[in-house]
Amino acid sequence: MIGPAVLTLIVFSLYPLVYSIALSATDSQLARPFREFIAFKNYTDAARDALFGNSLVLTFIYAFGVTAIETVIGFGLALLLNRESGPTRFARTLGLLPFITPPVAIAAIWRLIYDPSSGMLNHYLVRAGILEQNVAFLGVPGLAMASVMLVDIWQWTPFVFLLSLAVLAGLPHEPYEAAAVDGANGWQQFIHITLPLCLPGVLIIAILRLIGAMKVFDLVFMLTFGGPGSSTQVASFYIYKTAFQQFKTGYASAMTIIVIVILSVLVTLLTALYRRVQAKYGP
Amino acid sequence: MTRNNRTFSMLGGALAAALVLSACAVPAAPGTVRQVEVTREVVVTATPEPTAPKPFEGQSINVLTIQPHAVATRALAKWFEEETGARVQVLVVPYANVTEKAILDVTSGAGEYDVIEIWYPMLGKLVESGVLEDLTQWWEENKESLQFDDFVPSIADPYTLIDGKRWALPYDGDTHLLFYNRELLEKYGVKPPTTWAEYREACKTITEQGKSEGIYGCAIMGAKVPIILLSTFINRLQGYGASFFDADGKPAINSPEAVAALQELVDQLPYALPDPKAVAFDEALGGFTTGKVGMVEFWTDLGQMSDNPEQSKIMKKWGAVPMPKGEGPNAASRPALNAGFALGISTLAQNKPLAYEFLKFVGRPDINVRVNTIVGGLDPTRKSTFDAEPYRTHVTPELADAAKAALSGAFAWPTNAKWPEMQDVLTENVAEALAGTKTPQQALDDTQAKWLEILGK
């Protein structure tokens, strides 16, 4: 029975990867793949490409930023709502709505929310006196990135929250009983028992989210198209533009391979960290 | 319910009523015969005349179109179906993806599309990619019905011609006019501008006085989408008399005129609907039709949208003038062919004869008038359409004349096979200039250097 599984892996994972590597070594266009073998030229071009370098930096800022915030908020909400009651169940269900909404719909909604002339966010911020006048959240370089990140946080925090609940549900009762006997208060129990025991699980959740955030594309495409300037042009969007607007698929493949290598190194490092945490705090 | 069914129902009803009535009736005296009358409807149906079979009955083609033209293309499909019996399946994609869809369809061998909508600056790339059928002979064979000379001269060749051959049929004659809100301009004592400097001042006057009420002098589409951002820049580029290339075909995008044009655009930003760098088609359209914006450079069908009671608060309160001009010896009011679409036939079309027939149908002068008298997202491509009474009534004679004048002298974007890459570089650098991360001079110097590299010059 291992045959079909191996075949599936080859067809759906290995073949596209090998194809991309082969493409990256050629001067390929969308309509003319494998036009001319140029070895590593695409890679040296990518190394010199300031826009690609900038897109990688922005990808890291985005991915680590949203992962950190989503993990803190998601885990915090899980701690707050980790009990069985009507309102809690309702809050959990409601909290899952952003997670199950299609990203394109989310981006469309937030585009309306951010609208500088008739958007809800401007309306209430001005009314509350927080802003003097309307602001174009998606039109100011620094603010645009923060605005896209906010949408990501709104969309993915429920995912972290849900998995954090599962982690909390799996905690053993004995340490808490022992701590209570020893006179530990709630805060002490949280710091010395809950947090260490949850750390491996939360770290895995964060790694999953980080991998997802590194590949962000849909929100950028829908909200800013990489602008203003190149302030939200993350790597996946820059690669898309290279492949489907300039039609340079060879160069786009080389950049894709570079991103895959970076991601692989990052995941390897984080997995090693997870193992150390697991060995120290895990069951 | 069919007529036969209705007859049976009535008969049944009448019979049932008769039985009930007879049951309830006073008993007849013995020895008498009671008669019950039942009225019956007699239906006479005429034998239908045999109709002549339509020439393409039972056949079908797929047409790839962009979302803004979905209504128009579907209308054409319906009319073509009524005339020929052929079925036309309209496949709609976002305008930003239409070129990649067409290329991938052919290179993958899928051959899903018979007829393809083409953003005309991509024509060279599509030809180079082997996506389009050569229509040169088809144009020659159908010159009487297609009347090539009737197409607006400034778009006829750019939309169709690459390397001396014709590859497409003009479909949407796009250019910009400067639309203005008459009420707002009068209220703030501003006249429709004739130069970009006047435009900036007018914009500033209205914004400074009206901003507290949510009123802005102008909406500038500066979102980082090539078709949007470059339309805005090229409007000014042309006004200053700049061009993409010099007389020898060498890039000239960092000429003093081009830099002045970009500088002017940057100088206008503070007075526009916030924030121009995030303003695209929808934001500009919404700002103008809700009466919040004094002026907007937009495609000529904005007139129809502004008079549509379902989406506009400024019905009959708007006007349109030609693009302002810049300064300097080469300054001129010359609009650009911003956007602009054609139709071509895929080299992998499954039903080429029918695809050719569909193009022939769309290319007819009467169809051009008909499709431009619905709110379908298209603008005329034929001179005769601008003069046709139904069209003039539909958009107002003033707008028809202004659009015709604008299109007649319009400046075309490049259509060579390298343009997609060059366009992306220009978009990137103009966006940087708007964001303030590069000066206009630096942005266009960088573009020039990259263009020379791309073209190998």
Side-chain angles (χ1 to χ4, degrees), chain A residues 29-32 51 111 116-118 133 136 138-139 225-230 233 240-241 244-248, chain B residues 97 99-100 103-104 107 125 128-129 211 224-226 273-275 277-278 280 283 292 420-421 424 428 431-432 435:
Chain A
Q29 295 278 320
L30 185 64
R32 296 186 179 164
L51 282 172
R111 208 178 159 81
S117 54
S118 56
Q133 59 182 44
L138 301 173
F225 221 74
S230 53
Q233 194 158 266
Y240 157 80
K241 266 189 15 165
F244 296 111
Q245 290 197 335
Q246 298 187 24
F247 308 111
K248 291 159 68 179
Chain B
N97 305 110
T99 309
E100 76 189 61
I103 293 175
L104 282 170
T107 51
K125 175 53 78 174
E128 185 203 53
S129 304
K211 195 160 71 170
K224 195 186 167 183
V225 181
L273 177 76
D275 185 297
K277 297 185 290 295
E283 290 81 5
K292 291 179 177 177
E421 200 178 336
D424 207 47
E428 197 69 50
E432 296 284 5

Side-chain angles (χ1 to χ4, degrees), chain A residues 69-79 157-158 160-162 164-165:
Chain A
I69 296 167
E70 285 161 15
T71 304
V72 169
I73 297 174
F75 184 60
L77 283 172
L79 288 168
T157 299
V160 178
F161 161 69
L162 193 69
S164 297
L165 276 176

Side-chain angles (χ1 to χ4, degrees), chain B residues 26-286:
Chain B
V26 179
T32 61
V33 179
R34 198 155 39 92
Q35 291 184 331
V36 178
E37 272 194 14
V38 178
T39 48
R40 123 191 348 232
E41 183 187 357
V42 179
V43 180
V44 181
T45 51
T47 310
E49 286 289 321
T51 53
K54 289 178 175 172
F56 292 97
E57 197 83 55
Q59 296 187 42
S60 68
I61 49 166
N62 290 343
V63 177
L64 177 70
T65 194
I66 59 166
Q67 192 277 326
H69 297 164
V71 173
T73 310
R74 286 196 180 112
L76 286 162
K78 183 168 165 276
W79 301 335
F80 183 67
E81 228 166 292
E82 287 165 359
E83 198 166 292
T84 64
R87 179 160 161 62
V88 179
Q89 178 84 17
V90 176
L91 305 161
V92 183
V93 294
Y95 60 79
N97 305 110
V98 69
T99 309
E100 76 189 61
K101 286 271 182 193
I103 293 175
L104 282 170
D105 184 63
V106 169
T107 51
S108 67
E112 191 185 351
Y113 313 122
D114 297 276
V115 175
I116 291 167
E117 187 161 3
I118 302 154
W119 181 28
Y120 84 93
M122 299 292 123
L123 190 62
K125 175 53 78 174
L126 288 166
V127 170
E128 185 203 53
S129 304
V131 171
L132 296 173
E133 281 277 295
D134 180 355
L135 303 186
T136 312
Q137 198 184 333
W138 175 79
W139 272 105
E140 187 56 36
E141 286 167 358
N142 296 284
K143 59 186 173 193
E144 278 182 31
S145 69
L146 292 171
Q147 299 175 35
F148 184 79
D149 290 344
D150 185 37
F151 285 101
V152 178
S154 62
I155 69 170
D157 285 349
Y159 278 34
T160 62
L161 200 66
I162 293 286
D163 299 333
K165 292 178 180 173
R166 300 214 181 272
W167 305 86
L169 171 85
Y171 186 50
D172 177 30
D174 277 327
T175 186
H176 276 187
L177 289 171
L178 183 66
F179 287 84
Y180 62 92
N181 181 319
R182 271 204 306 269
E183 269 190 350
L184 283 182
L185 264 62
E186 281 168 20
K187 182 181 173 184
Y188 293 98
V190 168
K191 287 195 173 78
T194 57
T195 68
W196 284 115
E198 284 176 15
Y199 168 89
R200 179 168 23 95
E201 284 307 311
C203 200
K204 184 181 175 186
T205 301
I206 296 171
T207 300
E208 283 180 348
Q209 294 178 51
K211 195 160 71 170
S212 57
E213 299 165 39
I215 303 295
Y216 292 87
C218 54
I220 294 175
M221 292 188 287
K224 195 186 167 183
V225 181
I227 203 168
I228 298 280
L229 182 57
L230 293 193
S231 293
T232 298
F233 172 55
I234 293 166
N235 283 340
R236 287 149 185 81
L237 190 81
Q238 278 305 290
Y240 277 79
S243 194
F244 297 109
F245 304 101
D246 63 17
D248 303 325
K250 190 178 167 227
I253 196 63
N254 62 343
S255 66
E257 293 87 356
V259 174
L262 185 52
Q263 185 64 60
E264 180 59 51
L265 173 57
V266 170
D267 292 345
Q268 291 164 1
L269 299 183
Y271 314 115
L273 177 76
D275 185 297
K277 297 185 290 295
V279 171
F281 186 92
D282 292 334
E283 290 81 5
L285 180 68

